Structures are given as C-alpha cells and as structure tokens.
Amino acid sequence: MSKAVNMKKLLLMIVGVACAVCLSAVALTGCSSSESKSSSEAPEYLGEDGKFVVGFDETFKPFGYKDDNGEYTGFDLELAQAVADKNGWEIELSPIDWDTKDAQIDSGTIDVIWNGFTIEGREDAYEFTDPYYLNDQVILVREGSNINSLSDLAGKTVVAQVNSPAYDNLAEGGDYYDSLGSTLGALETAPEYQTALMQLESGACDAVAIDYPTAQSLIAGKDGYVILDEVVSSENYGVGAKKGNTELVEQIQSALIELYNDGTIEEIASHYPEEISIDKWVLK
C-alpha cells in the first residue's frame, strides 16, 4: 500500500514538472509571436522604430519654426501631423541643420524632409511626392533703397540661405545666373533667413533672395521693408524621402489629397492668412 502511494506521488510530480515545462514553452512562444507581430506592424518604409520622423529647418517660418511657447509648428508641420493622424503613424519632429539634410535622409535618421522643400533640381536625389504648393522666389529690400526692379540689383550684394534654391538659381550655373546672377556685385549666403534679415537691416547687404511666404513672415509687424513685385522664379514644393522609398511617398500623397478634399488643408492654411494662400495648393 505504501509503495503504491509513493508511486502515485512520484507520477504526480513527474506530470507536474512536465506541465510546468509545457506552460513555460507556450509562454515563451507566445512572447516571441507577440514581439514578431509587434515589429511587423511597423511599416518598413518608416524605419526600424516605426515612427514618422520629419526633418525640418526650425527657422523657416511659416513652414516649420518654434513658436512663442517653444513648440514646433508651421504650415508644413501641421500638414505632416494631419497625414500622420490619417495614417495612424506616431510622428516625431526633428529640427535639422539644413546642410546635413542629405546625409540624414541617406542614413535614415529622418524619413522625410518637409519644409518648403523645392523639387526642381533635386529630382534625382530624393523620392518626391507630386508638387503640393506653388512658391515664388522674390527679392526683399529696405524701403527707400532705390531698388524697385530686378534690373536695379546690378552691382548690388544679395544674400540667400545656404543651399537654398534662391542661391542655386542665382549662382554660376544656375537657371537665372545669366539673366540676373551674373549682374550682381556679390551673391552671399546666410545660415538662415533671420541672419539674412539682420544683414539687410545693418546694411551689410542690399537685398535678400527668399521664398515669398518666408519673406512675409519675417517682416510681419515690421516697418521699412519692401518685397519687389517682380518674381525671380516660381517653383514647386514637395515632400522628399530617400530615393526608392516610393511606398512612403504614396502614403503621404494619398493622405494629402484626402485632406484637401475634406477641407483640412484649407483649414490649416487659414492659420497663416498673410503667408499661405489656398489658391497656391496644387495637389488635388
């Protein structure tokens, strides 16, 4: 009798250990499966962390900048947030040094450049959405400078942001070098347009070549500045991703079209009445 009881106890212990091992194996398998599912839920076109990382110049008002409360905002950043919400993405805003934008896209540090980003001349370097906004490059001068037309810039010093289309267009080899850039006394660069405006204010330069909405933002509430009526050039803005990342670009573009059709784009544009015109929106 005693031996039978002992045998039953031994069998129960063996069964218990086997069950525990099985449960542990199931738990481990479940965790592994869950982790695999979680990682697969993050679209490959958004990189390893699954976040939608938007690179922008934090001084490029009204497209991307830091407001009085220290928060990042702007027309393009609001668009990016609306696209992220529509696609169910977690967004991360990443202010960058404009000189490093190519390296950051190539390395995957950021997923897109969305910051009044001109398509023309960059088609081979980035995967772009179709154009969404039509922009004009203009000339900003001091009131009373006697510079009233583009021809009056002959012999004058003009400043543009480094690596900007305004600079590229006017520099040697640019589309507007022969007609305008070659007539200038000097074409110089500034790291951002606030510095360019200070140079104009101090007399260190005679004019600033700049995007029209940014010029409007810079001189808002300030007296003594004039934007010339003549436009240097017109260009298209797009969202730029790493070359070959067509899936991300298609997702962004589809969302923007939907946001235009449901009135969201017009609502966002209304937040910047002096700088952004819904009439310049071209992606429909």
Side-chain angles (χ1 to χ4, degrees), residues 42-54 84 88-93 108-112 248:
E44 290 184 6
Y45 54 77
L46 287 181
E48 293 180 2
D49 61 4
K51 292 182 180 178
F52 179 45
V53 185
V54 177
W89 299 337
E90 179 183 355
I91 192 171
E92 180 179 320
L93 302 179
T109 306
I110 57 177
D111 293 309
V112 295
L248 174 57

Side-chain angles (χ1 to χ4, degrees), residues 23 67 136 141 149 161 182 220 261 268-269:
L23 287 171
D67 66 16
D136 291 328
V141 298
S149 66
Q161 185 178 29
S182 61
N261 290 328
I268 293 174

Side-chain angles (χ1 to χ4, degrees), residues 16-92:
V17 171
C19 287
V21 171
C22 287
L23 287 171
S24 297
V26 169
L28 287 172
T29 303
C31 289
S32 174
S33 175
S34 175
E35 288 173 0
S36 175
K37 182 178 180 182
S38 176
S39 62
S40 68
E41 286 176 352
E44 290 184 6
Y45 54 77
L46 287 181
E48 293 180 2
D49 61 4
K51 292 182 180 178
F52 179 45
V53 185
V54 177
F56 68 101
D57 175 356
E58 64 179 310
T59 68
F60 201 53
K61 194 175 183 181
F63 299 101
Y65 63 99
K66 188 178 288 187
D67 66 16
D68 294 337
N69 297 319
E71 300 292 329
Y72 293 124
T73 188
F75 179 64
D76 279 349
L77 298 190
E78 286 198 54
L79 293 179
Q81 182 66 65
V83 166
D85 290 344
K86 179 166 281 293
N87 287 329
W89 299 337
E90 179 183 355
I91 192 171
E92 180 179 320

Side-chain angles (χ1 to χ4, degrees), residues 225-237:
Y225 296 95
V226 175
I227 298 173
L228 298 189
D229 291 333
E230 276 186 274
V231 172
V232 176
S233 63
S234 294
E235 60 196 23
N236 291 291
Y237 287 162

Side-chain angles (χ1 to χ4, degrees), residues 60 135-142 147 150 153 156-171 176 180-181 184 186-197 199-200 205-216 218 226-228 230-233 235 237:
F60 201 53
N135 173 63
D136 291 328
Q137 290 286 346
V138 296
I139 298 295
L140 177 66
V141 298
R142 289 302 308 269
I147 300 175
L150 297 182
L153 292 171
K156 301 295 194 295
T157 298
V158 176
V159 170
Q161 185 178 29
V162 63
N163 287 334
S164 67
Y167 178 82
D168 292 342
N169 279 333
L170 295 173
Y176 296 88
L180 180 59
L184 304 178
L187 176 62
E188 300 177 353
T189 61
E192 25 71 23
Y193 278 118
Q194 281 84 346
T195 299
L197 189 68
Q199 292 176 322
L200 183 61
C205 70
D206 301 298
V208 175
I210 186 173
D211 302 65
Y212 178 79
T214 303
Q216 287 285 69
L218 280 176
V226 175
I227 298 173
L228 298 189
E230 276 186 274
V231 172
V232 176
S233 63
E235 60 196 23
Y237 287 162

